[in-house]
Amino acid sequence: MTARFITLEGIEGAGKSTLAKFVLAYLAQRQIPGRLTREPGGTPLAERIRQLVLERGAERLSPVTETLLMFAARDLHLEHVIRPALARGEWVVCDRFTDATRAYQGSGRGVDSDLIESLAAAVHGGLAPDCTLLLDLPVNVGLARVRGRAAGNSDRFEAETQAFFEKVRAGYLELARREPGRFHVIDAAAPLDAVEGRVERILEDLE
Ligand code: T5A
């Protein structure tokens, strides 16, 4: 069976991590080798870059610096985890990938899309996800889920304004509109069993 590259995207609290575990369990049940990973992160050094971009430090990160750090982490992740796993025939399930940079740094922060696309071409060339599950939900619902959990310890992104996340959400929906063959937009405000049922049907079609 051909290896697949599946990404999960959406704003904060959409349920990506919860669903990523469901996808892994689905694969395991069918004896399909699966590898769960995330961005930014996925390798020891990329996880250190993750810390840098998420922590609320004293020094401001410009939108361009943020973009470069995301791609630096992605380059490490591709070299040490994603490409080797796909080459071994494993299905890679990745919690966020370049669409997150397009939505957060591009639509959210206003970074030039030409810069983002030229970095994407340099870092992963023709490699793109086979399937992207976009978990879409109203911003206030997603933020209520994560802010309840964070209890005052929100990271640099979680502390952003509602207006920022509205731009990110709109950016994601625009990406999905442009690539309907790759994206599946899922109502993530629905009960978890309904979300899982929808994802199961999508995965059956991918096998
Ligand atoms: N980033 C990342 C960029 O800006 N650019 C990039 O290029 C990349 C790669 C990473 C941050 O980095 C930014 C975006 C992010 O801000 P992260 O930890 O990957 O951070 O992302 P978060 O979105 O912050 O992760 P969260 O854990 O907050 O959200 P998830 O994973 O979407 O949500 P999850 O699964 O943890 O669920 C949240 C809560 O909701 C419940 C869960 O039980 C949990 O309590 N839940 C549901 N409740 C009701 N109904 C459902 N259907 C539910 N699904 C989940």
Side-chain angles (χ1 to χ4, degrees):
M1 188 181 296
T2 322
R4 303 279 187 200
F5 181 23
I6 301 172
T7 55
L8 293 113
E9 298 283 359
I11 59 164
E12 270 49 21
K16 297 173 299 300
S17 317
T18 307
L19 211 59
K21 290 184 203 119
F22 172 80
V23 175
L24 250 276
Y26 170 97
L27 296 177
Q29 257 179 17
R30 283 154 187 79
Q31 271 125 42
I32 299 172
R35 171 77 192 235
L36 176 59
T37 188
R38 69 169 180 186
E39 288 208 352
T43 81
L45 204 48
E47 289 289 330
R48 285 168 66 187
I49 297 175
R50 177 187 178 90
Q51 269 182 349
L52 288 178
V53 290
L54 295 192
E55 75 189 7
R56 294 170 76 177
E59 193 171 338
R60 190 183 91 89
L61 289 187
S62 76
V64 169
T65 300
E66 202 175 85
T67 304
L68 295 171
L69 288 171
M70 294 298 177
F71 275 106
R74 186 162 299 133
D75 195 41
L76 289 162
H77 192 207
L78 280 156
E79 181 181 348
H80 297 294
V81 175
I82 297 178
R83 289 189 199 280
L86 291 172
R88 286 193 298 268
E90 295 171 15
W91 287 38
V92 174
V93 180
C94 191
D95 190 339
R96 300 190 183 279
F97 191 62
T98 297
D99 294 313
T101 314
R102 297 183 173 115
Y104 281 77
Q105 282 66 52
S107 302
R109 305 265 196 239
V111 172
D112 185 0
S113 63
D114 288 346
L115 172 65
I116 294 175
E117 296 312 323
S118 64
L119 289 167
V123 168
H124 51 88
L127 179 70
D130 297 296
C131 167
T132 296
L133 304 172
L134 173 56
L135 301 178
D136 180 59
L137 82 176
V139 170
N140 60 331
V141 178
L143 290 184
R145 286 182 188 169
V146 293
R147 287 184 177 155
R149 179 186 65 192
N153 287 322
S154 52
D155 67 35
R156 233 166 42 77
F157 288 97
E158 287 165 359
E160 275 292 348
T161 61
Q162 167 124 2
F164 172 79
F165 289 111
E166 295 291 356
K167 287 192 267 184
V168 174
R169 182 188 184 196
Y172 269 130
L173 290 171
E174 175 57 21
L175 292 171
R177 196 189 60 74
R178 281 193 233 148
E179 276 191 80
R182 171 164 73 89
F183 276 89
H184 297 269
V185 182
I186 294 160
D187 174 12
L192 191 54
D193 57 350
V195 177
E196 290 175 347
R198 173 88 203 281
V199 169
E200 191 163 355
R201 288 191 294 281
I202 294 166
L203 294 172
E204 282 163 3
D205 287 345
L206 262 186
E207 278 183 53

